[in-house]
Amino acid sequence: MAAQSYIAISELHPSFSHLKIAGIIIGKSDVKSFPDRKKFGAERFTFGFTVKDSPDFFVNVTAWGSDSYVNGLSNSFNVGDCVTIENPLVTNKDPEKGEKFCPTTPSFCKLLVRETYSQVCLCADVGTIDRLLPLMHLPVKDSRDFYSLGDVVANGQQLDGAVINILAAVKSVGDPKLFTTSDGRQGQRLEVKLFDDSVPSFPLVCWDREAIQFAQTWIPKETVLFVADVKISFDRFRSGMAASVNSKTIITVNPDTREASLLFSYAKEVSESGGLDQDEKTEDVPVDSIIDVYTVSQLKQKAQESPDAFFGITYSFISKLDLDSSVSKVIRTRCSRCKFQVSEDAQSCTNQLCSGRDQVLTATTGFDLLVDFTDHTGTLSTCSLRSPVAETTLGCTTDQFASLTDDERTAMKWKFLLERCKIYVKILQSPRMRTGIKGVVVACSLADPGEVKQHMTALLRL
């Protein structure tokens, strides 16, 4: 079908009939049902979606009909698909309801798709598809009209209940979790952790099935989102702010904007440098409260079974500890604001998105080591051992370490290498690691022989 036969969304008018529209799906809601007022005991089904055909114009579409029609139609396309809509009913927006429960659009009209008269199908014209696909990467709001995550956190409860736009990168995508409401209805939620140069982790919660399915396509550390009309609220459980996707939200993935491009570059660089690992803070729980003991294989198995971070103790040998590498590989300097790695003689942060890039650099220097732990069940590779835990473990400061000779650093290495240690470790999922999991040392010391014997005896009884 030729592209010229389609009516542009910008030209829609209620007097039009028998029209055809082509566009790309930029938003979609879940199917819902309501009692049919004309047929007692029967139900009518509906869902909505938003379609875009040009950089500046998009329109809301509502489908009504039977269970089989509406669910079948909903299952036939997803966000990001190009569709053609034939013979929709064009109506003016309701002046009272407006777009309270659907995305805000620039069109004066809305479309109604009816089971008897209308048809929606995937677009088959290659030329039309090539024209529409780039629209998926254009935000529906001004690309400069957004809050940074730092702005959201700084404003705190002043933004409670506000609907705003945010630009952020995806740090991780959790698994859907089922729950039952107080009235017995089943629900599900999925939490996405976002980050930018100002905040290392910020929760975005998806509640609808469509939003959850869309979120599961995002690649952590490689996806930037422009989230338009997201609801911000104060989460009492976290004692902090959180964002929730709602019926008005439109999410643009990897926007084709300067701001998003800068954030994408930052996300890539900070991920590769290890500065993203803010979940590796060791103050999460007191060391004394960590009591569960694991073998290496048990740590790996539990990490695969649960996406949530957890703590444990392992009595293992340190099988890799590169203290005799060059000092620059053992001790690193990072910007205090964005945690980006910088050179020791840098005058300002080289991260273009750092809030302090035009100011005098404030930096922290500390140990930044990767170690391997091994026991009779396997090896946990590339675990992070950083300051201040590293200072306590090694028994020296970074300045003292830097002043050691090569022989002295080698002697320090062999004090721990192939020695049985009692290691308190935090385990979390990390897609960028080859094994899919990452260990963070919370505390480490040479193991007491009596404790090791007691531990091994307990293992033999299992």
Side-chain angles (χ1 to χ4, degrees), residues 20-33:
K20 299 175 183 178
I21 298 169
I24 188 166
I25 305 295
I26 60 172
K28 187 181 172 201
S29 69
D30 285 359
V31 172
K32 296 179 175 62
S33 62

Side-chain angles (χ1 to χ4, degrees), residues 167 224 257-269 351-353 357:
L167 179 72
V224 171
T257 67
R258 176 181 178 275
E259 295 80 6
S261 178
L262 288 172
L263 181 55
F264 182 86
S265 297
Y266 167 73
K268 182 178 180 181
E269 292 176 10
N351 169 26
Q352 294 186 26
L353 284 178
R357 66 184 181 279

Side-chain angles (χ1 to χ4, degrees), residues 197-198 335-339 342 347-363:
D197 66 296
S198 59
C335 172
S336 300
R337 292 184 177 89
C338 67
K339 306 305 178 186
V342 295
Q347 300 299 311
S348 61
C349 184
T350 53
N351 169 26
Q352 294 186 26
L353 284 178
C354 180
S355 58
R357 66 184 181 279
D358 297 325
Q359 302 174 20
V360 176
L361 177 67
T362 58

